[in-house]
């Protein structure tokens, strides 16, 4: 008996709006997205007075150090400006402040074959924004904090059970603050 090809009932997988071959970079290649965000926020080092995002070479070097160097096309002054703006917004959010601006960064959302949701981006800034979105969806964004010491302002991930950690390092910044408070209390007025 001959096999008849019926074109009305093709069994093909649905690919949605994401093409089968894509230039998108998946977020899950970076490990914990919270670590990526903390590292990105810390490209501004208040204590050392340095900013990795001062120039395009610094931005590209940071991306390479994160394992994202060859993942995206060439970076430009425009993407560097977007990166600075996103970093400023994330720093403000981590410090408990609100950002005055609304920034739009391209992120793609795709459904995986196993029913999960995957965030993708075509740019490095988009990937970092996708990492922030994922951490926010997981309700962990409030765990990314900025050390309140004016000389430090280092970002860290609060892994304490009750989300009460204040200092980037209790041994350094926390100890300095406690010693300062003790001196103020014990100094007669």
């Amino acid at each position: 008996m001959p096999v008849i090809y019926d074109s009305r009932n093709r069994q093909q997988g649905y690919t949605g709006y994401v093409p089968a071959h894509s230039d998108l970079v998946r977020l899950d290649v970076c490990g914990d997205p919270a670590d990526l965000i903390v590292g990105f926020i810390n490209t501004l080092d208040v204590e050392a007075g340095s900013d990795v995002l001062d120039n395009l070479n610094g931005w590209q070097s940071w991306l390479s150090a994160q394992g994202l160097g060859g993942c995206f096309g060439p970076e430009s002054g425009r993407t560097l400006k977007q990166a600075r703006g996103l970093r400023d917004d994330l720093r403000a959010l981590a410090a408990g402040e609100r950002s005055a601006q609304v920034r739009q960064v391209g992120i793609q959302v795709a459904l995986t074959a196993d029913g999960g949701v995957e965030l993708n981006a075509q740019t490095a800034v988009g990937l970092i924004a996708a990492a922030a979105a994922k951490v926010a969806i997981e309700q962990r964004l409030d765990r990314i904090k900025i050390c309140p010491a004016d000389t430090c302002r280092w970002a860290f991930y609060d892994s304490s059970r009750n989300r009460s950690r204040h200092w980037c390092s209790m041994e350094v910044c926390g100890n300095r603050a406690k010693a300062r408070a003790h001196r103020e209390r014990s100094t007669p007025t």
Side-chain angles (χ1 to χ4, degrees):
M1 171 175 258
V3 176
I4 299 173
Y5 179 75
D6 187 1
S7 63
R8 291 178 291 153
N9 191 16
R10 290 193 201 158
Q11 297 291 323
Q12 293 182 350
Y14 177 71
T15 60
Y17 295 106
V18 179
H21 178 267
S22 175
D23 293 330
L24 299 174
V25 176
R26 294 174 40 184
L27 181 59
D28 61 354
V29 300
C30 301
D32 185 6
D35 293 337
L36 181 65
I37 295 169
V38 168
F40 179 65
I41 291 172
N42 286 333
T43 57
L44 176 66
D45 189 343
V46 174
E47 189 172 20
S50 65
D51 185 357
V52 172
L53 302 183
D54 266 347
N55 58 52
L56 200 53
N57 289 336
W59 171 232
Q60 289 171 335
S61 296
W62 185 82
L63 288 172
S64 293
Q66 304 306 309
L68 300 171
C71 296
F72 305 100
E75 297 296 321
S76 65
R78 182 176 162 266
T79 58
L80 179 62
K81 185 177 178 181
Q82 286 178 333
R84 280 191 212 123
L86 181 60
R87 183 192 59 195
D88 292 345
D89 292 344
L90 290 172
R91 283 188 73 82
L93 191 61
E97 305 164 0
R98 291 207 177 263
S99 176
Q101 290 188 345
V102 175
R103 297 190 197 281
Q104 294 185 359
V105 181
I107 299 173
Q108 284 81 25
V109 180
L111 298 175
T112 62
D114 62 352
V117 176
E118 184 178 278
L119 298 174
N120 302 298
Q122 291 180 334
T123 65
V125 177
L127 186 73
I128 295 166
K134 180 171 181 169
V135 172
I137 290 167
E138 294 170 346
Q139 298 182 350
R140 299 187 301 144
L141 198 55
D142 63 333
R143 288 186 174 270
I144 298 174
K145 299 179 180 181
I146 298 284
C147 182
D150 291 334
T151 57
C152 180
R153 307 298 291 164
W154 195 250
F156 63 93
Y157 184 80
D158 180 2
S159 58
S160 67
R161 184 178 218 164
N162 61 356
R163 301 173 187 231
S164 63
R165 183 173 159 195
H166 292 288
W167 309 103
C168 63
S169 167
M170 193 59 206
E171 293 78 23
V172 180
C173 292
N175 194 27
R176 287 179 192 160
K178 286 184 175 189
R180 190 178 318 112
H182 176 69
R183 278 193 308 273
E184 290 172 2
R185 282 192 310 270
S186 61
T187 304
T189 53

